[in-house]
């Protein structure tokens, strides 16, 4: 596991969930995204053959009351040279959407979310 992130509202506080890049072997790059439940000691993974995700970042749903109520966003570099933004449900860790870029996307490690306001 590498490039872990959490719900930013929990920085400096006790938190339950972390999101990270991982690896399904054999590989040379991170190729999975993982939601880690630190209380239940369980993990959920997202993996697509040939996809290389960037650092996941969590964006809370406006008005959220649960720590994992929001989306996890990662920029994905695909084996065919294309790229897309991936949105996963923060709670179920199931894929919500992909937004394809009209250009190639080189592999990048880190990202951040900057709210409009």
């Amino acid at each position: 596991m590498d490039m872990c992130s959490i719900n930013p509202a929990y920085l400096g506080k006790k938190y339950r969930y972390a999101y990270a890049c991982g690896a399904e072997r054999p590989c040379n790059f991170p190729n999975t995204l993982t939601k880690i439940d630190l209380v239940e000691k369980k993990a959920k993974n997202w993996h697509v053959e040939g996809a290389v995700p960037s650092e996941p970042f969590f964006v809370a749903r406006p008005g959220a009351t649960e720590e994992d109520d929001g989306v996890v966003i990662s920029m994905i570099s695909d084996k065919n040279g294309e790229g897309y933004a991936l949105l996963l449900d923060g709670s179920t860790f199931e894929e919500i959407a992909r937004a394809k870029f009209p250009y190639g996307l080189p592999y990048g490690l880190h990202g951040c979310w900057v709210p409009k306001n």
Side-chain angles (χ1 to χ4, degrees):
M1 307 307 306
D2 197 6
M3 297 181 278
C4 291
S5 65
I6 63 169
N7 180 334
Y10 287 77
L11 290 171
K13 302 175 186 174
K14 187 174 182 176
Y15 58 92
R16 177 175 180 170
Y17 302 107
Y19 306 91
C21 287
E24 187 173 294
R25 303 286 183 202
C27 66
N28 293 324
F29 290 95
N31 62 5
T32 66
L33 292 170
T34 303
K35 176 185 179 180
I36 306 156
D37 183 329
L38 300 165
V39 173
E40 295 291 326
K41 301 190 183 334
K42 293 181 180 178
K44 295 178 183 178
N45 292 304
W46 174 90
H47 172 78
V48 170
E49 188 65 36
V52 180
S54 70
E55 173 182 25
F57 46 101
F58 181 87
V59 180
R61 182 184 60 80
T65 57
E66 299 296 325
E67 179 183 345
D68 62 350
D69 185 5
V71 295
V72 176
I73 304 173
S74 179
M75 302 304 126
I76 308 295
S77 300
D78 210 345
K79 65 182 174 184
N80 60 9
E82 296 180 355
Y84 54 93
L86 174 71
L87 273 74
L88 301 173
D89 182 286
S91 178
T92 65
F93 217 59
E94 293 179 8
E95 188 170 324
I96 297 172
R98 294 182 187 192
K100 284 189 131 185
F101 297 118
Y103 47 81
L105 184 68
Y107 175 62
L109 293 175
H110 299 290
C112 67
W113 173 256
V114 180
K116 188 175 183 177
N117 307 3

